[in-house]
Amino acid sequence: MENNHIYETLIIGSGPCGVGCACKLKEAGIDFAVIESYIPGGKVNIAPRVDNYPHEFQIPGPDLAMKFAERLMALKAPFINKEVVSLTKEDDLFNVELKDGTVLKSKTVLLASGTKERKLGLEKEDELLGHGISYCAICDGHFFKGKDIVVVGGGNSALKEAIYLAHICSHVTIVHRRNEFRGLTHLVDELKAMDNTTILTPYVPVKIVGEDKVEGLVIKNRETEEEMTLKVEGFFPLVGQIPNTQFVKIPGVLNEWGTIEQTKTKETTCKGLYAGGDILNREVRQIFLAETDGRIAATNIIKALRGE
């Protein structure tokens, strides 16, 4: 089902990046629409508390997400609450196919679809989010000051966040499924040199202990099958992010991890296609950075549409 209207811009995602872009496009009088399969605010909605967003002090994630939603509603821009299943380009126009079969056309597109945490698949993993489980040390580390916590993961992100948490928490245990770490050697050495860290390999988590909050984690040695229970109040499963880019069908835009390489203008390798927020290949992912990406992308989208 094809919609004959041709937008100047379609924004895929209504998190901080998408909202930041929408605000600037509205100011410039651009004909655009926002497409979102979830609710405005993106992953901000699941953050127990946000401390590092400018002008907001210790604000609950859902409250900050509501502020993004209110900004978006105030723009009175078309909001399409549908899932995108395909993004292609034909000649100079982008085709955005929705799950209901509708195909929207646009001259430019901003990808602001974010990421989702790679889950371990443990029972209670979803229910105890915000009750001892967190996927972001920088966001939530202060909740665990002086407490014993466990970090699961072996990449650079897991190692860096474990180091960060070791400066806040009483004790940090790092659990990794292999004897060798994927992360940088100097990060592993730094962790080993700290007095309040323990590294356990090759172990995998098998069960979260606790009903209403995390009270422990059962782990199993992959070589001996031996199980042990860690008494902890915090659990950080940091085994990676899954970028929400599976619908992108344009060759050369995504790297091998499904993320997008950064550029100063936020334009990708495909002319007219821009990207910002967590789907960019970057080490630091923060709300204000994503919003800034959206505004930078909007500035360059406006220039492109005006032939500047």
Side-chain angles (χ1 to χ4, degrees), residues 168-198:
I168 300 173
C169 303
S170 177
H171 192 273
V172 177
T173 301
I174 299 93
V175 173
H176 182 43
R177 62 183 292 108
R178 300 182 182 87
N179 286 313
E180 301 79 24
F181 283 85
R182 291 181 290 108
L184 296 170
T185 301
H186 78 84
L187 295 176
V188 178
D189 292 341
E190 187 174 347
L191 276 170
K192 288 179 177 178
M194 302 180 88
D195 294 333
N196 64 334
T197 64
T198 301

Side-chain angles (χ1 to χ4, degrees), residues 46-90:
I46 64 172
R49 193 175 81 186
V50 177
D51 286 350
N52 55 9
Y53 184 72
H55 313 303
E56 297 291 348
F57 179 69
Q58 297 184 349
I59 182 172
D63 290 355
L64 181 56
M66 179 56 70
K67 289 179 180 289
F68 280 112
E70 289 171 350
R71 284 166 59 185
L72 192 58
M73 288 186 288
L75 301 178
K76 297 182 179 179
F79 183 83
I80 303 168
N81 196 200
K82 303 284 184 181
E83 180 183 349
V84 175
V85 296
S86 175
L87 171 64
T88 58
K89 188 178 185 184
E90 185 178 354

Side-chain angles (χ1 to χ4, degrees), residues 274-290:
Y274 298 77
D278 287 359
I279 59 172
L280 294 182
N281 184 19
R282 61 159 40 125
E283 288 191 3
V284 178
R285 293 183 169 91
Q286 290 187 319
I287 296 167
F288 76 91
L289 289 178

Side-chain angles (χ1 to χ4, degrees), residues 183-240:
L184 296 170
T185 301
H186 78 84
L187 295 176
V188 178
D189 292 341
E190 187 174 347
L191 276 170
K192 288 179 177 178
M194 302 180 88
D195 294 333
N196 64 334
T197 64
T198 301
I199 295 177
L200 297 177
T201 63
Y203 281 88
V204 293
V206 293
K207 183 181 179 182
I208 301 169
V209 180
E211 291 300 321
D212 300 321
K213 63 180 180 178
V214 172
E215 297 175 1
L217 182 69
V218 179
I219 60 175
K220 181 173 70 174
N221 189 295
R222 296 180 67 227
E223 295 175 351
T224 65
E225 300 293 314
E226 172 196 5
E227 291 190 357
M228 63 186 294
T229 300
L230 305 173
K231 292 185 178 180
V232 294
E233 294 181 73
F235 173 28
F236 287 77
L238 301 175
V239 292

Side-chain angles (χ1 to χ4, degrees), residues 98-110:
L98 308 180
K99 195 170 185 178
D100 65 0
T102 302
V103 177
L104 305 176
K105 293 185 177 292
S106 184
K107 296 176 182 178
T108 61
V109 169
L110 172 67

